């Protein structure tokens, strides 16, 4: 792609989720990403803490701790498909009624989205997210409300001994056109180096 690096970023669009499963061989598998329409805002805060060890009356060793994020995705409405695919609600095909089940098994997912920029859009991907159930609220009148979906993002499970604990990735000004254009078609997973 090789465009100029953004000076500023703004806006939010192209929010997608992709259900994550682990197959019988321990390989992480992602479903085809599904668009979430009506995204209003996303906010993520890093939960990485500095690990510090003191010896000889000084900081002898310090390093960043485990990298994870906590955040909220504000939506016009959480899609029914997300509630079924990720939060374990059950849709009865015979009468079309969707039901939340106590103790339902939830699924982890990848979260993909895009921020606009002055030069080009930056596409983001968090590999291993888990969400809590959104609240249910509205009020009389025609004022449109929003729903906050609280979630955490952490490293995807390692598949091999040499696998790195990848938390997130994003496009840059140097991302190839092919990778950039296919970002929302499938979860981007870098092929292992050969040799």
């Amino acid at each position: 792609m090789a465009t100029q690096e953004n000076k500023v970023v703004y806006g939010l669009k192209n929010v997608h989720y992709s259900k994550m499963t682990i197959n019988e061989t321990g390989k992480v598998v992602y479903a085809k990403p599904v668009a979430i329409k009506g995204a209003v805002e996303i906010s993520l805060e890093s939960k990485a803490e500095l690990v510090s060890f003191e010896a000889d009356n000084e900081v002898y060793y310090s390093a960043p701790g485990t990298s994870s994020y906590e955040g909220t995705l504000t939506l016009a409405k959480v899609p029914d498909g997300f509630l079924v695919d990720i939060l374990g609600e059950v849709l009865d095909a015979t009468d079309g009624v969707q039901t939340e089940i106590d103790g339902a098994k939830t699924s982890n997912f990848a979260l993909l989205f895009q921020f606009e920029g002055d030069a080009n859009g930056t596409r983001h991907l968090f590999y291993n997210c888990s969400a809590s159930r959104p609240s249910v609220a509205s009020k009389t009148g025609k004022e449109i409300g929003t729903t906050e979906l609280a979630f955490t993002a952490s490293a995807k499970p390692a598949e091999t001994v040499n696998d790195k604990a990848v938390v997130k990735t994003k496009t840059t000004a140097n991302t190839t056109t092919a990778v950039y254009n296919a970002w929302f078609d499938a979860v981007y997973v870098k092929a292992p180096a050969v040799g």
Side-chain angles (χ1 to χ4, degrees):
M1 204 164 78
T3 64
Q4 197 173 20
E5 187 172 333
N6 287 324
K7 293 178 185 174
V8 295
V9 294
Y10 56 89
L12 170 65
K13 67 186 226 179
N14 288 330
V15 177
H16 289 68
Y17 72 92
S18 171
K19 185 174 180 175
M20 182 182 97
T21 55
I22 299 176
N23 70 15
E24 61 281 348
T25 65
K27 180 174 174 44
V28 176
V29 178
Y30 293 101
K32 180 172 177 49
V34 176
I36 300 177
K37 298 295 184 188
V40 177
E41 180 180 358
I42 191 166
S43 174
L44 289 144
E45 182 180 334
S46 174
K47 290 298 176 186
E49 295 182 10
L50 188 64
V51 175
S52 182
F53 174 74
E54 293 188 16
D56 297 329
N57 207 30
E58 63 182 37
V59 175
Y60 189 73
Y61 172 81
S62 66
T66 303
S67 181
S68 65
Y69 292 81
E70 287 183 0
T72 56
L73 174 61
T74 305
L75 302 165
K77 176 186 171 294
V78 177
D80 290 340
F82 183 90
L83 296 172
V84 171
D85 293 343
I86 304 303
L87 297 182
E89 291 190 6
V90 176
L91 176 61
D92 187 324
T94 59
D95 62 12
V97 173
Q98 189 165 313
T99 305
E100 179 180 319
I101 307 296
D102 184 32
K105 181 171 172 25
T106 61
S107 298
N108 287 16
F109 60 98
L111 184 65
L112 305 88
F113 55 91
Q114 178 175 331
F115 292 152
E116 289 300 291
D118 59 297
N120 58 287
T122 302
R123 295 178 170 182
H124 295 264
L125 165 60
F126 283 82
Y127 284 98
N128 186 14
C129 299
S130 58
S132 58
R133 297 200 179 283
S135 58
V136 178
S138 191
K139 59 184 175 181
T140 192
K142 294 188 178 182
E143 182 180 330
I144 297 172
T146 59
T147 303
E148 280 193 355
L149 185 66
F151 68 97
T152 59
S154 55
K156 76 178 183 72
E159 297 175 31
T160 66
V161 175
N162 297 323
D163 204 12
K164 294 198 179 359
V166 179
V167 176
K168 70 180 186 87
T169 192
K170 68 177 185 174
T171 61
T172 68
N174 296 313
T175 300
T176 65
T177 302
V179 168
Y180 187 87
N181 290 343
W183 197 258
F184 300 109
D185 296 337
V187 171
Y188 173 79
V189 179
K190 185 152 182 77
V194 178

